Amino acid sequence: MSKGRLFVISAPSGAGKTTLLKRVMPRLTGLSFSVSHTTRQPRPGECEGVDYHFVARAEFEKMIGEGAFLEHARVHDNLYGTSRMAVERLQQQGIDVVLDIDVQGAAILREAGLVDAAYIFIAPPSVAELERRLRGRGTEAEEMIATRLANARAELAAMSSYEYLLVNRQVDESVELLTAIILAERARAHRFPDGRAIGAIAER
Ligand code: 5GP
């Protein structure tokens, strides 16, 4: 069985990533979502263990000390991290894993030379549209919207280091495109720079 691969997906908040993932994930088998740890408070409707593992700062810092994170970063004044063990366990079972992480986390993984990962950036059609969506969501305070917009501009500047850019203009179309990107990546014969195959055909 070949090891599951990683799909690293980043997007400024409000770009529509969560909606897209909620529609794309159930369409594909053998694909699992990595539930991150965060020190942020849950938003209304978010569930422990489904959206995030919500932990206290002290616990998060203890996990950093133990090397429990594949990557971690501070985003909008909160800490977020990807559990190394959870991701590796899925990959060992041949399951592909979607990591919804920010541009700092993606850069950490890229620099660590984690080559069997596809990097996908989801962008809004414009900054103005992003602002409209953030306000429409109604879950953030005004001050938080300003922080998120400033971060979004910085994140958009990082999109050229991703292999795929998906501009989310229209949800149905973007669902098809994201599904297609994942399927095409799965059909790739090679990813490693030395040309080593990443897929294998069973004897029987
Ligand atoms: P939100 O608070 O809106 O759920 O997420 C804020 C940002 O944190 C998003 O850009 C999201 O991709 C990012 N994020 C979520 N989990 C992780 C993680 O485990 N690591 C990193 N680096 N970023 C994360």
Side-chain angles (χ1 to χ4, degrees), residues 17 36 40 43 52 71 73 80-82 100-102 105 148:
K17 177 183 53 186
S36 295
R40 155 164 97 56
R43 294 195 189 110
Y52 283 103
E71 63 71 40
Y80 295 82
T82 303
D100 166 354
I101 62 179
D102 83 317
R148 283 178 184 255

Side-chain angles (χ1 to χ4, degrees), residues 136-176:
R137 194 151 80 176
T139 54
E140 315 295 337
E142 194 56 34
E143 192 187 325
M144 203 44 152
I145 290 177
T147 310
R148 283 178 184 255
L149 274 178
N151 286 348
R153 287 180 200 278
E155 287 189 323
L156 287 169
M159 73 186 170
S160 59
S161 25
Y162 286 71
E163 296 167 279
Y164 294 94
L165 171 62
L166 193 165
V167 180
N168 185 17
R169 293 192 182 85
Q170 204 275 325
V171 180
D172 289 339
E173 190 186 284
S174 301
V175 166
E176 294 306 326

Side-chain angles (χ1 to χ4, degrees), residues 6 67-72 82-84 87-88 99 108-109 114:
L6 300 183
F69 294 122
L70 199 56
E71 63 71 40
H72 62 90
T82 303
S83 159
R84 184 188 300 278
V87 169
E88 283 175 1
L99 304 185
I108 292 169
L109 295 184
L114 213 56

Side-chain angles (χ1 to χ4, degrees), residues 5-180:
R5 71 192 62 180
L6 300 183
F7 291 96
V8 176
I9 304 186
S10 303
S13 55
K17 177 183 53 186
T18 310
T19 310
L20 287 184
L21 285 176
K22 286 207 168 126
R23 293 218 3 218
V24 169
M25 300 285 304
R27 297 175 111 195
L28 298 165
T29 55
L31 186 68
S32 187
F33 183 75
S34 158
V35 179
S36 295
H37 286 69
T38 184
T39 60
R40 155 164 97 56
Q41 292 297 312
R43 294 195 189 110
E46 282 185 333
C47 295
E48 162 59 34
V50 176
D51 300 284
Y52 283 103
H53 297 291
F54 296 96
V55 294
R57 198 169 189 107
E59 189 179 342
F60 196 100
E61 280 165 1
K62 184 166 160 269
M63 290 179 74
I64 296 178
E66 294 166 349
F69 294 122
L70 199 56
E71 63 71 40
H72 62 90
R74 186 191 175 104
V75 189
H76 316 133
D77 285 336
N78 290 300
L79 299 174
Y80 295 82
T82 303
S83 159
R84 184 188 300 278
M85 211 167 71
V87 169
E88 283 175 1
R89 196 180 297 139
L90 290 165
Q91 283 190 289
Q92 292 306 337
Q93 294 167 40
I95 297 170
D96 295 338
V97 187
V98 169
L99 304 185
D100 166 354
I101 62 179
D102 83 317
V103 298
Q104 304 170 77
I108 292 169
L109 295 184
R110 214 179 281 119
E111 280 153 28
L114 213 56
V115 280
D116 194 11
Y119 293 85
I120 306 166
F121 192 93
I122 299 173
S126 66
V127 176
E129 173 62 18
L130 190 69
E131 184 168 0
R132 200 184 62 75
R133 290 181 192 173
L134 280 176
R135 286 187 199 286
R137 194 151 80 176
T139 54
E140 315 295 337
E142 194 56 34
E143 192 187 325
M144 203 44 152
I145 290 177
T147 310
R148 283 178 184 255
L149 274 178
N151 286 348
R153 287 180 200 278
E155 287 189 323
L156 287 169
M159 73 186 170
S160 59
S161 25
Y162 286 71
E163 296 167 279
Y164 294 94
L165 171 62
L166 193 165
V167 180
N168 185 17
R169 293 192 182 85
Q170 204 275 325
V171 180
D172 289 339
E173 190 186 284
S174 301
V175 166
E176 294 306 326
L177 186 51
L178 185 54
T179 307

